[in-house]
Amino acid sequence: MKEYQSKDIKNIVLVGSSKSGKTTLAECMMFEGGVISRMGKVEDRNTVSDYHEIEQERQNSIFSSVLHTEWRGSKINIIDTPGLDDFIGETVPSLRVADTALVVLNAQNGVEVGTEIIWRYLEKYHKPSLFVVNQVDHPKADFQSTLEMAQRRFGSKVIAVQYPYNPGEGFNAIIDLLKMVMYEFPPAGGKPEKKPIPASERARADELHNRLVEAAAENDENLMELYFEKGELDEDEMRKGIRIGMLKRDLFPLFCVASRKNMGSGRLMGFIGNVAPTAEDMGPEHTTEGNEIKVSDKATTLFVFKSSHEKHAGSMSFFKVCSGTVRAGDEFYNNSSRSRGKMNQLYSVDGKNRNPIELLHAGDIGATVKFKDTFINQTLRPDDDGVIVDPIVFPDSKIQVAVSAKKQGEEEKMSQGLHRLSETDPTLLVEYAKELRQTILHSQGELHLTMIKWQMEHDYGVEIEYQDPRISYRETIQSGAISSYRHKKQSGGSGQFGEVHMRVMAYTADHKHPAELKVKEKELIELPWGGHLLFCNCIVGGAIDNRFLPAILKGVMENLEEGPLTGSYVRDVAVYVFDGKMHPVDSNEISFKIAGTAAFKQAFLESRPKLMEPIYKLEVLTPTEFTGDVMTDLTGRRAVVEGFENEFGDYQRIVARLPLAEMGRYATALSSFTQGRATFNRRFLEYAQVPSELQASLTQTHSSELVN
């Protein structure tokens, strides 16, 4: 394979909603560049990028795919990403390492909700972006509506560089506003014929051309002066202005293609090759310490943005060369995992196809296999110098489920499989919740969970099933009470004796000790599950020896770990041990632990106990037509709607506070009554008291479980 210098490498990422045609566009670009000899089709399951069995089965991209094509001396690395929000963990790393984003819009549907989500990340990473209106050959294609929708949402910075002459079923021609010609394509697509712009389109083309010239000139003072002098810019001058505008994110060129018919992709690739930024044009990467890593730096820096476990190849690591060069056989130190390894094999990848190469320059994207302990977000350097590239931040989970193996005895096998999956997917978090006594999966949605289940069965041979997770309630008190308990046990030899008197109160940040008690010693314990325990020794006259106080505290802590109401964690209580009795022979630590446990439970139940539930802040982005359905559903889930506002196009954002207990399968429900067009995100907000009738029900259920 040809060796490419940094200045000749373009890294693009294809993003957009599901069914916008990203995979087909990638296929078309590879075909136009001569990398493949024929174009595959998603429905025929023979495209280069969607090569995983589950992707072919569902006919949707689930994983990001690294590809490349070549165009007139440039290497264009392409990363095809999923369009479904459930697989955002594949898209975000791709955005991070790309230099230009191609935002693909479906000419039938315009700007969809998935595009809005992606746009936030493009803004965060300040990525140069251009729009590609795909499927302009569809009978229901509406290019003008799509353009206007993009301009409403993303502003007047969206500037058409092309428009279809005859969109719809008979589409075969594009008016190019940069070159001011019409490209007419043969019926089978491919290389077009250049023709003059028809007289009927001249006025429209001139108007849009002038807008493009003005937008290009606005980005550079010299170009603006030239424009004022000449009243026009030539093609090279316009390219320069567009390039500057893209780098500043002050201009977003918009193209049109019919990728399935291979119409328009060559012109798009020509623009990428001539105008789109290279890694040299982009700002430097930054380390966790805030230092810069420039493409021109001589020391090699590799940033791993994707990893996978292939059945036959084993682990595979995909990286961007941030600086320096990498050769097959080079040794690197992983500054993240603190391990060293040798890069025995170096590849340029096209989907599942690996092309062996000897050398990659800064700015390029490559892969290697079986590199020790190397996963996403890790940095490879020649030496152990502590340099770590600032890591990718992934979105919080949207859904939680409990998972278990269907067959008894396969728990360990399940655990290993889930661990392997989480290594390659940072949006999948696996934890064993001691409090809930369940293994919990944190994921991005129902489709994400479906994919995990499929992978566990097909790749790791374990059938799993999901259940609703138990809710992590918290127990506390609203007042206080005094209690005492005597533990006495005689069984022949030495017996057991311990008597404890205590006062239990609610603890707050401005807590004050009761005036009638003299606190000799106190310990404020920050509880691992949140909240505090204030434990105070108020013993006078030696009623209980100090050596038994730790045993009493241990008894109290056991109650905190399994509260009297529902077995949930207890928080924010103050305990004052102020009296008691002991026996010179029979008293021991176990006696006072038992007495402390019983005394605390008694006082807790007499102190107006209350149950607290986790509350989340929920943001729903939905088409306006479904706002009523979303609001009705939220009301039925005990939600408190805090407000809503108009978003881009015909979308609205609804903000609400919602108990976690009411969020079971919310992703499925929302998708069902919004036809899959709404999305949401959530984050933990606080604990709040549950309604009294619900507390009574939960307490009764817990009591029944203990009896059974």
Side-chain angles (χ1 to χ4, degrees):
M1 182 178 177
K2 182 180 174 182
E3 181 182 321
Y4 287 91
Q5 301 295 321
S6 302
K7 63 182 180 63
D8 299 320
I9 299 167
K10 307 291 179 87
N11 298 313
I12 67 169
V13 57
L14 302 180
V15 297
S17 296
S18 179
K19 304 301 181 183
S20 59
K22 299 183 299 296
T23 297
T24 304
L25 178 57
E27 196 80 5
C28 187
M29 293 173 75
M30 295 181 74
F31 176 73
E32 275 292 301
V35 175
I36 56 177
S37 58
R38 63 183 298 272
M39 285 178 58
K41 295 181 180 179
V42 171
E43 57 269 31
D44 291 343
R45 305 183 179 189
N46 60 356
T47 56
V48 178
S49 62
D50 286 359
Y51 63 90
H52 293 88
E53 185 180 347
I54 188 172
E55 292 178 308
Q56 294 175 349
E57 188 178 294
R58 299 184 63 89
Q59 296 194 4
N60 256 325
S61 297
I62 290 175
F63 307 98
S64 61
S65 291
V66 178
L67 320 161
H68 93 283
T69 190
E70 299 172 349
W71 190 259
R72 297 176 183 173
S74 293
K75 178 186 180 186
I76 303 175
N77 289 315
I78 304 168
I79 309 179
D80 181 22
T81 65
L84 297 166
D85 192 28
D86 283 40
F87 308 117
I88 192 70
E90 293 285 330
T91 303
V92 172
S94 305
L95 293 174
R96 170 63 181 275
V97 299
D99 302 317
T100 303
L102 270 62
V103 184
V104 185
L105 305 178
N106 185 324
Q108 304 165 64
N109 304 325
V111 179
E112 299 176 82
V113 68
T115 309
E116 154 71 9
I117 295 168
I118 295 301
W119 192 255
R120 295 181 196 168
Y121 288 100
L122 292 174
E123 290 180 323
K124 175 182 176 182
Y125 292 131
H126 201 75
K127 293 292 181 182
S129 306
L130 59 87
F131 289 88
V132 181
V133 181
N134 197 6
Q135 302 178 38
V136 291
D137 57 328
H138 193 278
K140 295 182 179 179
D142 190 338
F143 174 84
Q144 189 61 31
S145 174
T146 300
L147 171 61
E148 291 171 358
M149 193 182 296
Q151 290 173 332
R152 284 198 304 272
R153 170 59 189 96
F154 308 116
S156 58
K157 298 176 183 179
V158 178
I159 301 291
V161 176
Q162 301 174 329
Y163 69 88
Y165 172 60
N166 52 348
E169 204 161 0
F171 167 78
N172 72 336
I174 290 172
I175 306 293
D176 192 290
L177 304 169
L178 180 58
K179 291 182 174 291
M180 287 303 284
V181 297
M182 184 174 80
Y183 291 105
E184 186 174 280
F185 297 90
K191 187 176 182 179
E193 180 183 353
K194 288 184 182 180
K195 290 188 174 183
I197 296 174
S200 60
E201 292 294 319
R202 193 72 207 190
R204 181 187 181 190
D206 285 342
E207 180 186 352
L208 294 176
H209 172 76
N210 289 335
R211 289 185 195 174
L212 180 60
V213 173
E214 289 174 5
E218 286 174 357
N219 294 291
D220 184 84
E221 290 184 8
N222 293 330
L223 290 176
M224 184 61 78
E225 290 178 7
L226 280 173
Y227 176 58
F228 284 144
E229 288 175 11
K230 303 189 301 181
E232 178 63 277
L233 294 178
D234 63 32
E235 188 176 332
D236 288 339
E237 291 164 346
M238 289 177 67
R239 284 175 178 163
K240 179 182 177 182
I242 293 171
R243 184 189 189 88
I244 295 171
M246 290 180 66
L247 284 166
K248 292 180 178 178
R249 280 184 61 82
D250 278 337
L251 197 158
F252 306 117
L254 182 141
F255 291 78
C256 59
V257 300
S259 57
R260 186 153 185 165
K261 289 184 177 179
N262 187 20
M263 295 181 179
S265 62
R267 179 70 183 96
L268 174 64
M269 291 167 67
F271 181 86
I272 293 170
N274 290 325
V275 181
T278 66
E280 288 184 334
D281 300 317
M282 302 298 291
E285 283 286 355
H286 288 85
T287 69
T288 52
E289 296 181 347
N291 298 318
E292 293 185 348
I293 300 175
K294 299 178 181 178
V295 171
S296 58
D297 292 347
K298 291 184 179 180
T300 302
T301 306
L302 309 182
F303 178 65
V304 180
F305 69 93
K306 176 181 172 66
S307 58
S308 65
H309 289 298
E310 304 288 346
K311 280 185 178 180
H312 305 295
S315 62
M316 196 162 192
S317 303
F318 298 79
F319 55 83
K320 183 175 184 179
V321 186
C322 300
S323 63
T325 58
V326 55
R327 293 180 179 274
D330 284 351
E331 288 192 2
F332 288 95
Y333 191 85
N334 188 325
N335 283 336
S336 304
S337 66
R338 316 299 297 170
S339 60
R340 182 176 289 279
K342 187 175 183 180
M343 196 165 293
N344 292 311
Q345 297 162 307
L346 188 61
Y347 299 107
S348 172
V349 176
D350 290 318
K352 66 180 177 181
N353 301 318
R354 294 173 290 166
N355 312 303
I357 51 177
E358 290 299 318
L359 173 68
L360 288 175
H361 289 270
D364 215 338
I365 288 174
T368 190
V369 294
K370 300 177 182 177
F371 198 86
K372 185 180 178 183
D373 301 328
T374 299
F375 303 103
I376 297 174
N377 262 341
Q378 296 183 343
T379 303
L380 305 180
R381 295 270 289 183
D383 301 305
D384 178 11
D385 55 10
V387 172
I388 297 178
V389 175
D390 205 20
I392 301 162
V393 178
F394 289 90
D396 295 332
S397 65
K398 294 181 179 178
I399 188 171
Q400 299 173 346
V401 296
V403 60
S404 59
K406 277 189 176 182
K407 295 180 182 178
Q408 202 168 20
E410 291 193 336
E411 290 78 14
E412 181 64 26
K413 194 175 178 182
M414 178 192 78
S415 178
Q416 291 175 355
L418 291 174
H419 175 70
R420 294 292 294 276
L421 290 178
S422 67
E423 286 180 336
T424 60
D425 180 2
T427 63
L428 170 63
L429 304 179
V430 185
E431 66 162 337
Y432 178 76
K434 178 184 175 183
E435 173 188 6
L436 307 178
R437 297 180 294 280
Q438 292 177 311
T439 298
I440 305 296
L441 296 187
H442 303 257
S443 74
Q444 293 297 310
E446 294 287 349
L447 286 175
H448 194 193
L449 291 173
T450 299
M451 186 268 290
I452 292 163
K453 182 179 282 190
W454 189 97
Q455 286 180 291
M456 286 295 293
E457 182 177 346
H458 288 76
D459 296 342
Y460 298 100
V462 183
E463 291 188 68
I464 59 173
E465 54 188 1
Y466 299 134
Q467 304 89 31
D468 290 334
R470 303 183 182 101
I471 303 300
S472 53
Y473 293 105
R474 295 290 182 264
E475 300 179 19
T476 190
I477 53 178
Q478 303 176 75
S479 59
I482 294 175
S483 65
S484 63
Y485 188 85
R486 174 183 290 181
H487 173 69
K488 184 177 181 181
K489 183 178 181 181
Q490 206 68 40
S491 58
S494 59
Q496 294 180 357
F497 182 89
E499 183 175 321
V500 173
H501 295 240
M502 71 170 56
R503 180 169 182 171
V504 173
M505 301 174 63
Y507 174 81
T508 59
D510 57 351
H511 182 79
K512 294 181 180 179
H513 301 308
E516 65 273 20
L517 294 179
K518 183 178 180 181
V519 177
K520 295 170 60 179
E521 297 175 317
K522 65 179 180 180
E523 183 179 1
L524 182 61
I525 301 171
E526 188 172 342
L527 301 170
W529 50 85
H532 296 83
L533 165 67
L534 178 64
F535 187 77
C536 299
N537 175 10
C538 304
I539 299 293
V540 294
I544 301 176
D545 197 286
N546 280 348
R547 63 192 173 94
F548 294 129
L549 266 296
I552 298 173
L553 174 58
K554 189 174 181 180
V556 171
M557 286 297 295
E558 286 190 359
N559 266 295
L560 299 190
E561 292 189 12
E562 194 165 347
L565 293 180
T566 61
S568 303
Y569 287 135
V570 176
R571 57 179 287 170
D572 298 328
V573 292
V575 174
Y576 297 86
V577 180
F578 64 86
D579 201 1
K581 292 181 181 178
M582 58 183 179
H583 189 276
V585 176
D586 294 342
S587 288
N588 52 32
E589 290 184 356
I590 188 64
S591 302
F592 278 98
K593 177 189 168 187
I594 294 171
T597 300
F600 177 84
K601 183 175 182 179
Q602 178 185 327
F604 185 92
L605 293 172
E606 293 175 2
S607 300
R608 293 173 58 213
K610 65 177 180 180
L611 196 61
M612 310 284 285
E613 63 180 340
I615 304 295
Y616 279 71
K617 181 176 181 180
L618 181 75
E619 290 190 7
V620 183
L621 189 65
T622 177
T624 302
E625 61 190 283
F626 300 117
T627 300
D629 295 322
V630 174
M631 297 281 281
T632 300
D633 179 73
L634 288 175
T635 302
R637 294 174 181 266
R638 295 194 287 127
V640 176
V641 176
E642 296 184 330
F644 56 91
E645 57 188 21
N646 292 328
E647 276 288 333
F648 70 97
D650 296 322
Y651 281 85
Q652 290 210 330
R653 184 179 307 282
I654 301 170
V655 180
R657 294 160 50 92
L658 185 65
L660 178 62
E662 302 293 339
M663 289 193 70
R665 304 296 178 181
Y666 182 69
T668 304
L670 182 67
S671 178
S672 176
F673 56 71
T674 64
Q675 300 174 16
R677 296 174 61 197
T679 186
F680 74 97
N681 62 66
R682 68 176 195 175
R683 63 178 175 84
F684 173 75
L685 203 58
E686 62 180 356
Y687 273 92
Q689 186 172 357
V690 303
S692 56
E693 63 275 11
L694 179 58
Q695 176 171 322
S697 173
L698 291 168
T699 303
Q700 179 60 43
T701 299
H702 179 66
S703 299
S704 301
E705 290 175 351
L706 291 177
V707 171
N708 296 331

